Each structure stands twice: as C-alpha cells, then as structure tokens.
C-alpha cells in the first residue's frame, strides 16, 4: 500500500542502502493491481530483495465457512493471512539472526487500536525483533504529498478510488 511504499523509500534513503530485505504479505485476496505493483517494484529495484509471505496452508473461503466472514469485530484474516505469514517467513529466512530491526508503514490515524501504537516497539510476536514506524503520525495528505513530491510508483488501485489496498475484503 501507499504507507509501505513511503516507508520503504524513507528507509532506503535514510540508510543509503538498496539491499534492505522487503517482505510482501500476500493475503491471497489481493487486487490484481497489487500483484502488478510488486512486479514493477522488483523491476525498478533489482538490488532490493523482495520476499513473498503467503499462507499456503489455509483457504480463505473454507475458513469463512468455519469461522464466519471477517469483520470489524472478528478480524481473524489479517492474523492468518498477513501477519502470521510474515512472521513465519521472517523466522524461516532469518534463523541465525539474534536481533532484527523492522520498519512498518502503519499510522495512528488508521484505527482506534493503531492510535495507541508507539513509534518503537519490542513486544512483537518475534522476540528478537525491534519495530520502528517512521510515519506513525503522518496523515493521508502527508503520505500522498511525499509520493507525489518524490515521484514514487504506487498501486494503481488508488487511481480507481480505493483508499486502502491491503486486500479486497
């Protein structure tokens, strides 16, 4: 999404390194434009390792029949198809790593629960992980201004009127 795009650009510029590992959480419910964006990102950033985290063990439709569809009250799908898959990818890829610094493009304004997030956290599912959220206090306006001012590639779904592109549901 736009927040991850901006975070990626900020981090690569600040650290002056293109070789920072990126992880794309493929929820299996992605817009076609998201798949296209990932391919374009890879093409434009050949020195940036981009891993795909995908839960291949579960099927969204089957889980909807068992658990019920995801909702604001029952947000099970992100844990199973995004954060869970990303956590597993990190654990499998970086086994020998004792300390891990991650950056995420989340913002407090996105939800009530995210409004309580800190800029730096160590209480994640991965004990060795420190997570930084450099744009946590940014507004949509700030994100779009950064994208336009820096001429960044972004997911075409935004041009179609979508305000979020994490997954179609």
């Amino acid at each position: 999404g736009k927040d991850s795009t901006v975070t990626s650009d900020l981090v690569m510029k600040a650290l002056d390194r293109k070789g920072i590992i990126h992880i794309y959480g493929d929820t299996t419910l992605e817009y076609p434009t998201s798949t296209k964006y990932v391919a374009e990102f890879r093409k434009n950033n050949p020195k940036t390792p981009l891993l795909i985290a995908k839960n291949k063990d579960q099927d969204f439709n089957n889980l909807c029949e068992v658990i019920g569809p995801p909702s604001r009250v029952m947000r099970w799908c992100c844990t199973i198809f995004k954060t869970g898959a990303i956590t597993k990818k990190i654990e499998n890829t970086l086994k020998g790593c004792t300390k891990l610094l991650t950056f995420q493009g989340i913002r407090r304004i996105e939800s009530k629960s995210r409004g309580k997030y800190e800029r730096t956290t160590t209480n994640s599912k991965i004990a060795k992980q420190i997570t930084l959220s450099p744009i946590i206090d940014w507004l949509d306006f700030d994100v779009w201004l950064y994208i336009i001012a820096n001429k960044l590639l972004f997911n075409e779904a935004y041009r179609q009127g979508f305000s979020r592109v994490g997954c179609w549901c």
Side-chain angles (χ1 to χ4, degrees):
K2 64 188 180 302
D3 300 337
S4 295
T5 295
V6 167
T7 300
S8 167
D9 191 68
L10 283 170
V11 170
M12 288 196 292
K13 283 179 179 172
L15 299 179
D16 195 27
R17 293 186 55 203
K18 292 284 185 193
I20 296 168
I21 297 171
H22 285 55
I23 301 176
Y24 172 65
D26 182 347
T27 63
T28 72
L29 305 168
E30 303 301 317
Y31 292 105
T33 57
S34 297
T35 305
K36 182 181 172 195
Y37 170 79
V38 169
E40 288 178 33
F41 180 88
R42 273 195 164 135
K43 187 176 108 185
N44 294 338
N45 298 279
K47 294 184 179 182
T48 303
L50 177 61
L51 308 176
I52 307 292
K54 186 175 185 176
N55 184 336
K56 297 174 186 169
D57 301 326
Q58 300 291 337
D59 178 82
F60 176 76
N61 292 322
N62 289 345
L63 287 174
C64 282
E65 288 182 28
V66 174
I67 302 170
S71 67
R72 283 191 164 270
V73 179
M74 289 232 329
R75 300 187 70 187
W76 56 264
C77 59
C78 282
T79 301
I80 293 171
F81 291 102
K82 192 166 188 176
T83 56
I86 291 171
T87 299
K88 190 174 179 181
K89 178 61 86 174
I90 289 170
E91 288 171 348
N92 290 338
T93 306
L94 304 169
K95 288 179 185 170
C97 184
T98 56
K99 283 286 182 197
L100 178 64
L101 180 61
T102 61
F103 298 89
Q104 60 183 8
I106 61 162
R107 297 180 298 120
R108 288 188 178 115
I109 197 140
E110 293 179 296
S111 70
K112 204 175 215 179
S113 62
R114 287 186 177 185
K116 299 172 189 165
Y117 284 19
E118 297 295 327
R119 182 178 303 279
T120 304
T121 59
T122 54
N123 58 348
S124 71
K125 294 176 184 176
I126 302 170
K128 59 187 172 187
Q129 179 175 318
I130 298 168
T131 303
L132 302 177
S133 304
I135 65 168
I136 198 157
D137 291 317
W138 288 29
L139 304 174
D140 278 357
F141 177 81
D142 302 314
V143 171
W144 284 113
L145 186 60
Y146 186 91
I147 288 171
I148 293 165
N150 289 279
K151 299 180 174 118
L152 299 183
L153 173 74
F154 60 90
N155 191 319
E156 285 294 316
Y158 293 114
R159 291 190 192 277
Q160 298 168 9
F162 293 97
S163 59
R164 300 187 57 119
V165 296
C167 70
W168 59 260
C169 64

